[in-house]
Amino acid sequence: MADKNMTSLTIRRPDDWHLHLRDGDMLAAVAPETARHFGRAIIMPNLVPPVVRMEDAVAYRDRIMAVVPETANFQPLMTLYLTEETDPSDVIAAHKAGIATAAKLYPAGATTNSASGVKNMSAVRPVLEAMAEAGMPLCVHGEVTNSEIDIFDREAVFIDKVLKPLRKRIPDLRVIMEHVTTQDAVDYVRDTPKNLGATITTHHLIINRNHILAGGIRPHYYCLPVAKRERHRIALVQAAISGDKRFFLGTDSAPHIDPAKLQECGCAGVFSASNTMSCLAEVFDVAGALPKLEAFSSLNGPAFYRLPPNDSTITLTKGEPVDYPTHIQTGEGPVTVFDPGFPLHWRVDA
Ligand code: NCD
Ligand code: ZN
């Protein structure tokens, strides 16, 4: 049992295994927010146009490094966006050259900027087989997109209709089911002994669908996959605090300027890069599981990706509530920072 009076915790520097940094002025504003506390991050490739080829990833990585403060010692881990036209040899070459850590599978139309995603899984089978052979991980947005499937069921249906057949066909492929939101996904990952991991976001450990919809609609809590019932949130917390190596942090911090969130058809995405570690410390503290925070945010991810954990550390200290700005300013406009709905007592010293 954790010490209820614990007031200080030093852990290996965390990594973010699912992050959107965007480009241009937005990139310049949000990259330092992540680099402040995190050592590395898996960078999502859903730019417009997407990061598809090795050369795109090289250029994007250069643009990221140009805006990360030198003192931060932050390393972006690049991903390639799989399309039905992807050339398997380019993906494997990018991995072998240390350019692309993983590739990302978006079902076409599943989420923000996924129009170039995959409609027909058999079209990407050659690249997935090549990735399995090379040991290159596949990050998956695990939702079906059929309009007849209820949006709250899309993750569970994806597991049955896409993930299980895929893993049966290519069992050696190392898959990360990203931003899991359901008990179904937690159970599936837990029951799968090999080659399957899952990321969990900060906000899905904190909000359920009532936070989005009850007592007025709150667009800043709208993201994809959409938050589910409370029992699913509890299952996610149990997975995160369990220490089980297959579950690790991927914030899915996904900035959109306020005018893009607050409109008739608002964008999906929660921006949590600024206050994620304070939020997580609060969640783990309330659950009596602070000693498991390091596994979730700093150890399990590198182990799955076959990378060493970071050498440096961060220290979290409990005290008076820490104030985070409600917004960050970007060259494109203001971005609202995730509001967990409770005071954050844990300060981060990186
Ligand atoms: C992400 C975005 O805005 O790029 N949005 C989101 O709601 N999570 C895309 C994604 O990861 O689904
Ligand atoms: Zn995402």
Side-chain angles (χ1 to χ4, degrees):
M1 199 57 206
D3 176 2
K4 281 272 175 219
N5 300 318
M6 204 165 172
T7 55
S8 173
L9 178 67
T10 296
I11 61 171
R12 297 262 193 166
R13 184 175 300 280
D15 301 304
D16 185 348
W17 299 97
H18 181 130
L19 176 68
H20 299 268
L21 286 179
R22 316 300 191 204
D23 217 339
D25 286 348
M26 181 65 90
L27 167 65
V30 300
E33 296 295 300
T34 287
R36 191 174 299 134
H37 298 160
F38 290 87
R40 295 165 290 194
I42 283 275
I43 309 301
M44 287 296 120
N46 64 333
L47 304 181
V48 188
V51 180
V52 173
R53 283 173 296 270
M54 165 150 65
E55 65 195 50
D56 306 329
V58 170
Y60 187 30
R61 190 177 63 180
D62 289 348
R63 297 200 295 282
I64 295 169
M65 291 314 290
V67 297
V68 167
E70 264 174 47
T71 48
N73 205 8
F74 173 76
Q75 190 190 5
L77 304 175
M78 309 309 291
T79 60
L80 296 177
Y81 184 122
L82 295 185
T83 74
E84 295 188 6
E85 282 77 47
T86 289
D87 172 6
S89 62
D90 183 64
V91 172
I92 302 304
H95 186 60
K96 295 215 159 126
I99 306 294
T101 301
K104 170 84 187 213
L105 177 78
Y106 286 102
T111 184
T112 312
N113 304 338
S114 62
S116 321
V118 173
K119 291 191 187 75
N120 175 4
M121 284 297 287
S122 59
V124 287
R125 198 172 303 144
V127 66
L128 299 183
E129 281 167 354
M131 287 171 62
E133 203 180 309
M136 181 178 186
L138 176 75
C139 302
V140 177
H141 183 108
E143 289 190 289
V144 292
T145 55
N146 325 28
S147 57
E148 66 273 19
I149 306 292
D150 189 280
I151 191 161
F152 291 99
D153 298 333
R154 288 180 180 186
E155 184 172 284
V157 174
F158 183 88
I159 293 169
D160 284 337
K161 292 283 182 321
V162 184
L163 205 47
K164 284 182 181 169
L166 170 68
R167 298 207 60 266
K168 204 164 168 195
R169 195 178 278 276
I170 318 179
D172 291 338
L173 183 62
R174 304 180 58 244
V175 177
I176 301 106
M177 202 183 166
E178 300 202 283
H179 41 51
V180 291
T181 59
T182 56
Q183 170 96 61
D184 312 62
V186 167
D187 290 346
Y188 177 57
V189 172
R190 209 175 255 150
D191 293 344
T192 307
K194 235 178 103 201
N195 293 338
L196 184 64
T199 57
I200 303 178
T201 77
T202 309
H203 53 282
H204 287 118
L205 292 173
I206 294 173
I207 62 164
N208 62 36
R209 63 195 201 178
N210 276 17
H211 291 84
I212 314 172
L213 295 170
I217 187 159
R218 289 182 211 277
H220 293 300
Y221 289 148
Y222 172 62
C223 68
L224 289 170
V226 70
K228 310 294 192 299
R229 289 176 182 276
E230 176 64 2
R231 73 177 176 86
H232 294 291
R233 188 193 68 81
I234 291 169
L236 299 176
V237 172
Q238 290 307 321
I241 68 173
S242 68
D244 186 324
K245 279 185 162 335
R246 287 164 293 191
F247 297 100
F248 40 94
L249 173 64
T251 66
D252 195 15
S253 180
H256 293 278
I257 55 168
D258 285 350
K261 296 283 298 173
L262 310 175
Q263 59 175 326
E264 208 160 12
C265 183
C267 293
V270 166
F271 176 71
S272 63
S274 311
N275 60 3
T276 273
M277 289 314 298
S278 291
C279 289
L280 289 176
E282 201 77 36
V283 169
F284 278 64
D285 190 4
V286 167
L290 276 172
K292 293 288 169 61
L293 179 61
E294 184 178 42
F296 179 66
S297 57
S298 315
L299 302 178
N300 296 351
F304 190 90
Y305 275 89
R306 298 178 176 160
L307 294 167
N310 292 309
D311 283 331
S312 58
T313 58
I314 63 167
T315 296
L316 295 136
T317 311
K318 191 175 186 176
E320 288 304 308
V322 194
D323 274 334
Y324 283 95
T326 56
H327 297 79
I328 62 160
Q329 297 304 328
T330 80
E332 295 180 17
V335 171
T336 293
V337 177
F338 175 60
D339 173 8
F342 45 70
L344 297 172
H345 299 92
W346 290 86
R347 190 185 76 229
V348 186
D349 292 305

